[in-house]
Amino acid sequence: MATTLKEKRDYLRTAAGFTAVALVAAGLIWLGNRNDAITEAGRLKAGILTAHQVKTAFEGVGGRIVARPREESDRVAKGDLLMALDPTDVEIAIREAEAQIRSYDAQIAELEGTIELTLRTADTSRSRNSKERSN
């Protein structure tokens, strides 16, 4: 099928129109206002919460988020609560540590009692030996 000169011109105009629209849209996007959190933080020179900052802030800490009073791009001040984690795991770990401390305290008390008993036994033995020598 041979295309006529008119059909070729129509295809060329359509392709040129789409190309022009795409170039204008790309230019507007490139020149447009960039309101992402990092750009805003740089512009405002203020602390803005971003997702990658939260990830590193809680590195090594596990738990379920139970409160999140701040959203991305909110202005925050020093000391503001950003997120709250479920304290159950931490409370269990604290109770386990306290139980371990109580166990160590009991072991120490037992050893102190053993030492006291050993010292008294040694004193009694020494007293007997010195009495036997003097007789």
Side-chain angles (χ1 to χ4, degrees):
M1 265 178 38
T3 55
T4 64
L5 185 58
K6 184 177 184 304
E7 288 175 337
K8 287 180 182 178
R9 242 186 286 141
D10 288 342
Y11 289 140
L12 189 59
R13 273 191 210 143
T14 304
F18 279 122
T19 303
V21 169
L23 287 173
V24 169
L28 289 174
I29 290 170
W30 184 71
L31 293 173
N33 188 8
R34 297 177 183 157
N35 286 328
D36 63 286
I38 295 172
T39 304
E40 284 295 303
R43 186 177 66 79
L44 296 174
K45 304 246 190 277
I48 294 181
L49 177 65
T50 60
H52 71 276
Q53 290 170 332
V54 171
K55 181 179 176 186
T56 58
F58 291 116
E59 193 172 304
V61 177
R64 188 173 58 92
I65 297 173
V66 293
R68 197 172 106 182
R70 302 284 183 209
E71 295 295 323
E72 187 172 328
S73 79
D74 284 353
R75 290 178 186 255
V76 294
K78 184 178 180 179
D80 285 352
L81 178 67
L82 303 178
M83 290 184 183
L85 297 178
D86 183 13
T88 305
D89 293 338
V90 175
E91 290 172 354
I92 290 171
I94 289 171
R95 279 190 240 125
E96 288 175 351
E98 288 172 342
Q100 189 69 39
I101 290 170
R102 284 191 300 274
S103 171
Y104 290 147
D105 286 343
Q107 290 175 6
I108 289 170
E110 180 183 353
L111 288 173
E112 286 174 343
T114 303
I115 291 169
E116 184 66 31
L117 181 62
T118 303
L119 289 174
R120 285 184 185 172
T121 305
D123 286 343
T124 305
S125 296
R126 198 174 345 167
S127 300
R128 284 185 189 163
N129 287 341
S130 61
K131 284 183 183 178
E132 287 175 0
R133 286 184 191 164
S134 60
N135 286 339

